[in-house]
C-alpha cells in the first residue's frame, strides 16, 4: 500500500507540474465574479465519477461497485457541507435524463479544456488569462427544472493498482523502471444558470486519496472545493 501511494504521488506530481504554470486564486474566477450572492441557490448536479483498477499492464478497467461506493461517499460529504454566506447546496432531484447527461459530458470536455488552456501551459492568447468559458445558454433548462441560480458540476476519475499491478511495480523497480499506480483527477465548476458561464473552476491532480472510504472521499471533495467562492 505504501509503495502504491508513493508511486501514485510521483506520477501525480509529474502530471501537476506538466500542466501547472500559474494557478492563482483569481485565475479560478471569471471576471466580475468574486463570490456567490447571499442566499443564492446552488444545485449539485449528478456527479460524473468513475473508478478504475489498473491491470498489470497498466490498462484501466472500470469498477462499477467502487464507483457506486464513491458516489455514495461524495454525496454524503457534500450534503454536510455548508457555505460561508448562506448559499445553499441542493441535490439535483429526480433521475438524470439525456439532457442532464449531455450537460455532464459537456462539462467534462470544457473542464479538460480549462485545465489545459487556462491553468496549463497551452494558454489561448485571445483569452488573455481570463477564465472565459461557457457551457452555453442551454443550461437555463437546469434553472427551469430546479429554480437554482448556479449549478455545481463535478468530474472525477480515480484509479488504483490491482494486486497484479503492484507486483509488476515491484519487479519493474528492481530493474530501475518506474510504473504508475493510478492517479486521482478531478474538475469542479460553478456555472451561472442565467448565462451558462463558468464563474469558478478548480481541479485536483494527485497520487493519493481513496474515494472508496468515506473519510478520504470527504477529504478529496474538500480539496476540490478548497477555493469555492461561497
Amino acid at each position: 500500500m505504501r509503495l502504491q501511494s508513493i508511486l501514485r504521488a510521483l506520477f501525480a506530481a509529474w502530471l501537476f507540474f506538466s500542466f501547472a504554470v500559474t494557478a492563482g486564486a483569481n485565475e479560478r474566477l471569471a471576471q466580475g465574479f468574486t463570490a456567490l450572492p447571499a442566499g443564492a441557490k446552488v444545485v449539485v448536479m449528478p456527479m460524473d465519477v468513475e473508478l478504475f483498477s489498473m491491470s498489470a499492464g497498466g490498462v484501466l478497467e472500470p469498477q462499477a461497485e467502487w464507483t457506486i461506493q464513491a458516489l455514495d461517499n461524495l454525496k454524503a460529504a457534500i450534503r454536510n457541507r455548508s457555505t460561508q454566506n448562506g448559499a445553499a447546496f441542493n441535490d439535483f432531484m429526480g433521475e438524470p435524463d439525456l439532457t442532464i447527461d449531455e450537460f455532464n459530458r459537456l462539462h467534462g470536455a470544457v473542464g479538460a479544456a480549462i485545465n489545459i488552456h487556462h491553468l496549463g501551459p497551452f494558454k489561448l492568447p485571445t483569452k488573455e488569462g481570463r477564465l472565459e468559458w461557457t457551457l452555453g445558454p442551454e443550461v437555463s433548462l437546469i434553472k427551469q427544472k430546479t429554480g437554482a441560480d448556479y449549478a455545481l458540476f463535478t468530474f472525477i476519475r480515480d484509479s488504483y493498482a490491482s494486486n497484479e499491478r503492484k507486483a509488476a511495480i515491484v519487479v519493474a523497480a528492481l530493474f530501475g523502471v518506474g510504473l504508475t499506480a493510478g492517479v486521482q483527477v478531478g474538475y469542479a465548476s460553478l456555472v451561472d444558470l442565467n448565462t451558462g458561464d463558468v464563474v469558478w473552476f478548480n481541479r485536483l491532480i494527485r497520487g493519493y486519496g481513496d474515494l472508496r472510504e468515506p473519510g478520504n472521499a470527504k477529504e478529496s471533495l474538500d480539496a476540490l472545493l478548497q477555493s469555492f467562492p461561497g
Side-chain angles (χ1 to χ4, degrees):
M1 179 65 73
R2 181 174 175 77
L3 176 60
Q4 177 178 342
S5 298
I6 292 172
L7 290 171
R8 290 185 78 196
L10 289 173
F11 182 61
W14 175 80
L15 278 177
F16 181 83
F17 288 110
S18 294
F19 288 100
V21 175
T22 55
N26 289 337
E27 288 186 286
R28 302 180 192 279
L29 295 171
Q31 274 196 325
F33 183 85
T34 56
L36 281 171
K41 292 179 63 178
V42 180
V43 61
V44 179
M45 299 302 291
M47 295 180 175
D48 187 355
V49 176
E50 193 162 13
L51 271 59
F52 301 84
S53 64
M54 182 178 286
S55 71
V59 177
L60 295 178
E61 300 172 348
Q63 297 294 326
E65 187 174 338
W66 292 356
T67 297
I68 292 171
Q69 185 62 57
L71 281 168
D72 287 345
N73 293 336
L74 290 167
K75 288 176 183 175
I78 204 162
R79 283 193 198 102
N80 294 325
R81 186 182 179 89
S82 59
T83 60
Q84 297 174 353
N85 65 355
F89 284 125
N90 298 298
D91 285 339
F92 182 89
M93 303 302 291
E95 291 298 319
D97 55 22
L98 287 176
T99 302
I100 298 303
D101 287 343
E102 287 177 0
F103 283 139
N104 258 341
R105 284 196 291 273
L106 175 61
H107 170 254
V110 172
I114 294 174
N115 182 43
I116 294 171
H117 297 296
H118 182 69
L119 298 181
F122 305 107
K123 297 184 181 301
L124 300 179
T126 55
K127 293 191 181 294
E128 298 180 336
R130 298 185 299 271
L131 180 62
E132 196 174 73
W133 301 80
T134 185
L135 300 192
E138 292 80 8
V139 297
S140 62
L141 291 172
I142 299 172
K143 185 180 181 74
Q144 294 172 21
K145 286 176 177 283
T146 65
D149 306 297
Y150 297 87
L152 178 63
F153 285 85
T154 308
F155 172 100
I156 303 177
R157 296 293 183 270
D158 204 358
S159 54
Y160 310 90
S162 64
N163 289 333
E164 293 79 10
R165 180 68 174 179
K166 293 174 187 174
I169 288 170
V170 172
V171 172
L174 294 175
F175 293 94
V177 177
L179 297 178
T180 62
V183 67
Q184 189 175 79
V185 177
Y187 311 128
S189 301
L190 183 66
V191 175
D192 185 331
L193 292 180
N194 289 308
T195 63
D197 294 344
V198 176
V199 295
W200 169 84
F201 177 85
N202 198 22
R203 68 178 179 183
L204 190 65
I205 305 174
R206 61 186 192 176
Y208 59 93
D210 189 343
L211 300 178
R212 299 168 296 184
E213 300 295 331
N216 290 332
K218 179 182 181 302
E219 188 277 333
S220 291
L221 185 70
D222 288 343
L224 187 58
L225 300 182
Q226 185 175 18
S227 60
F228 188 80

